[in-house]
Amino acid sequence: MSSEEDFSLVDPQQSEDTLEGVHNLITKQKKTYDQLLEEQKDLRNSRDDRREMTKQFKQRTEKLTLDSKKDELSYRDQLAQEKKKVDQMKQEESDLMRQIQQVQDAIKEEGDQNDYLREQADVIKAMPDKKLVFKGATAKGADWEVFEMRSEVIYPMEGGTALITFEEEDVAQNILDMKTHHVTLVEDCSITVESRAVQLMLPSVVEIDSSVCPNRILVSNLPKMDEETLKNKLEIHFSKSKHKGGEVDECEYLPDSGTVVITFVEDHIAKCLTETEFHDVKMDKRNSHRVRVTPFLNGKITNLKTRMSTCPRTVLLTGIPQVMERETLQDLLEIHFQKTNNGGGEIEAIVYNPLDQSTAAVFRSVSDDAQEE
């Protein structure tokens, strides 16, 4: 049998009373003690291993935490750099979009400019030929005169009024300063009139934008013939498709320029006809006449500024009663205001409008002055 087995032929209670039994018991307890020491050693070793493992885990955990913080800082730096790159790309994209918009605006502006120049070329082309004869004197460039535009103003006259234009401005001012005038008509009969300044609204700035009309043409270089016959011949010619024409809506003769304006029903007809400047129109069975066809221009006032101007030589007389014939009363007024002892002077023109009648006077503005025509 093995020594580790708890087996004996002697009764345990009886063996403790003997020396041999005590010796066996001591041996047994020693073995148990050795086992306990061995177990304690194993436990101590296991504890040390656990502590070492814990220490290693702790060191590893600290290292992992430190690496994690480093990775986090690196990630944040990388994220900040990437965000900066994204912001730079967005800025570059914004700059590119702005440049693209500027290029598109420049292209549109160039296109508008080209359209404007093309339209201006059409406008210049549309100007009808007119022969001019220069009768002035030539001079050096420093002696040139300023171009002046005369504007005509229709001045409505109320009944019982008169307009008198004097040759001298001082006379007109003297009449205005006197205000009230007693005009003798016949012996022991006179009328009282008042003098007032004439105020006219005149244009100071006029800007007109011209454009080509899409459905009209201007026909010039016309022969001298009956107006209705001429319009009929032109309408017949330009209404035929073989002449690139079309249905005519209206044919109007302009007597001041000796030209004809033809209006078509469709817009594209006018452009087709103006592509050919000269057209041979059959005026009778044997003869044809070459006319010039140009675009018709529409004018639109884009800027208009006005100013009030006082006529320096013209005065308005009011409160004139209708007591005699128009011509007789007008002559008496002219006689009265032509006399120097009445404050008057030489009269250039006079217009009298009786009561219950309406008329208008035409004033012509020259520079800053106003005159009655």
Side-chain angles (χ1 to χ4, degrees), residues 177-210:
D177 293 339
M178 295 174 65
K179 293 184 180 179
T180 303
H181 302 269
H182 301 282
V183 181
T184 300
L185 302 181
V186 293
E187 186 178 355
D188 298 332
C189 180
S190 64
I191 59 175
T192 302
V193 298
E194 293 184 359
S195 59
R196 299 179 184 177
V198 178
Q199 296 283 340
L200 298 179
M201 181 181 291
L202 301 177
S204 59
V205 176
V206 180
E207 294 181 2
I208 300 177
D209 187 12
S210 59

Side-chain angles (χ1 to χ4, degrees), residues 234-295:
L234 293 175
E235 183 172 351
I236 292 172
H237 178 86
F238 289 108
S239 63
K240 294 181 178 181
S241 57
K242 67 179 182 179
H243 299 147
K244 297 183 180 180
E247 182 179 354
V248 176
D249 182 41
E250 184 182 7
C251 190
E252 180 183 3
Y253 181 77
L254 304 179
D256 56 341
S257 60
T259 57
V260 172
V261 178
I262 300 178
T263 304
F264 296 94
V265 176
E266 299 178 1
D267 290 346
H268 67 279
I269 302 298
K271 184 173 179 60
C272 293
L273 288 173
T274 54
E275 290 177 353
T276 303
E277 185 175 1
F278 294 98
H279 295 253
D280 293 326
V281 180
K282 192 173 183 179
M283 295 300 175
D284 52 40
K285 294 182 179 181
R286 296 182 178 180
N287 300 321
S288 296
H289 186 82
R290 175 161 291 187
V291 299
R292 186 179 182 224
V293 176
T294 53

Side-chain angles (χ1 to χ4, degrees), residues 5-24:
E5 295 180 355
D6 296 334
F7 180 78
S8 178
L9 296 177
V10 184
D11 187 359
Q13 296 294 331
Q14 295 179 357
S15 65
E16 292 180 359
D17 297 332
T18 65
L19 180 60
E20 185 177 356
V22 172
H23 184 268
N24 291 332

Side-chain angles (χ1 to χ4, degrees), residues 34-306:
D34 292 337
Q35 290 177 356
L36 290 174
L37 289 177
E38 187 68 27
E39 290 178 1
Q40 187 179 13
K41 182 180 179 181
D42 293 339
L43 289 173
R44 190 179 292 112
N45 291 334
S46 177
R47 182 198 64 184
D48 293 340
D49 292 340
R50 294 284 186 269
R51 285 180 177 178
E52 183 65 25
M53 187 178 295
T54 301
K55 183 180 178 181
Q56 291 179 358
F57 273 114
K58 185 177 181 181
Q59 292 177 350
R60 187 177 179 183
T61 302
E62 291 176 354
K63 185 176 183 300
L64 289 174
T65 301
L66 183 61
D67 293 341
S68 176
K69 289 183 178 179
K70 289 182 179 179
D71 291 341
E72 183 179 359
L73 292 175
S74 176
Y75 172 75
R76 288 182 179 178
D77 293 340
Q78 186 177 0
L79 184 63
Q81 292 177 359
E82 294 297 330
K83 185 177 180 181
K84 187 176 180 180
K85 289 181 180 179
V86 171
D87 293 340
Q88 290 178 351
M89 293 177 66
K90 287 183 177 179
Q91 184 64 34
E92 291 176 359
E93 181 183 7
S94 177
D95 294 340
L96 288 175
M97 292 300 295
R98 184 169 61 254
Q99 292 177 5
I100 291 173
Q101 185 64 40
Q102 290 176 354
V103 172
Q104 290 178 347
D105 293 341
I107 292 174
K108 183 178 182 300
E109 184 177 355
E110 288 296 330
D112 295 340
Q113 183 68 15
N114 290 337
D115 293 340
Y116 174 77
L117 293 175
R118 190 178 298 110
E119 184 174 342
Q120 290 300 311
D122 292 339
V123 168
I124 295 174
K125 180 182 177 183
M127 296 297 180
D129 291 337
K130 191 174 184 64
K131 295 181 180 180
L132 300 176
V133 178
F134 179 74
K135 296 183 178 180
T138 60
K140 295 182 179 180
D143 300 330
W144 63 279
E145 296 182 359
V146 178
F147 174 77
E148 295 181 347
M149 178 180 291
R150 295 170 177 256
S151 58
E152 292 186 350
V153 180
I154 305 299
Y155 185 81
M157 296 180 61
E158 298 179 355
T161 61
L163 288 171
I164 300 179
T165 300
F166 295 94
E167 292 184 357
E168 301 292 336
E169 295 182 10
D170 295 339
V171 177
Q173 187 60 46
N174 187 36
I175 296 297
L176 291 174
D177 293 339
M178 295 174 65
K179 293 184 180 179
T180 303
H181 302 269
H182 301 282
V183 181
T184 300
L185 302 181
V186 293
E187 186 178 355
D188 298 332
C189 180
S190 64
I191 59 175
T192 302
V193 298
E194 293 184 359
S195 59
R196 299 179 184 177
V198 178
Q199 296 283 340
L200 298 179
M201 181 181 291
L202 301 177
S204 59
V205 176
V206 180
E207 294 181 2
I208 300 177
D209 187 12
S210 59
S211 60
V212 177
C213 184
N215 63 336
R216 292 180 180 178
I217 61 173
L218 182 66
V219 184
S220 58
N221 193 30
L222 299 173
K224 294 181 179 181
M225 57 187 305
D226 180 68
E227 179 181 326
E228 291 298 325
T229 303
L230 176 62
K231 292 194 298 183
N232 292 336
K233 295 295 184 182
L234 293 175
E235 183 172 351
I236 292 172
H237 178 86
F238 289 108
S239 63
K240 294 181 178 181
S241 57
K242 67 179 182 179
H243 299 147
K244 297 183 180 180
E247 182 179 354
V248 176
D249 182 41
E250 184 182 7
C251 190
E252 180 183 3
Y253 181 77
L254 304 179
D256 56 341
S257 60
T259 57
V260 172
V261 178
I262 300 178
T263 304
F264 296 94
V265 176
E266 299 178 1
D267 290 346
H268 67 279
I269 302 298
K271 184 173 179 60
C272 293
L273 288 173
T274 54
E275 290 177 353
T276 303
E277 185 175 1
F278 294 98
H279 295 253
D280 293 326
V281 180
K282 192 173 183 179
M283 295 300 175
D284 52 40
K285 294 182 179 181
R286 296 182 178 180
N287 300 321
S288 296
H289 186 82
R290 175 161 291 187
V291 299
R292 186 179 182 224
V293 176
T294 53
F296 182 82
L297 302 181
N298 288 331
K300 180 180 179 181
I301 297 178
T302 57
N303 186 16
L304 174 62
K305 295 180 181 179
T306 60

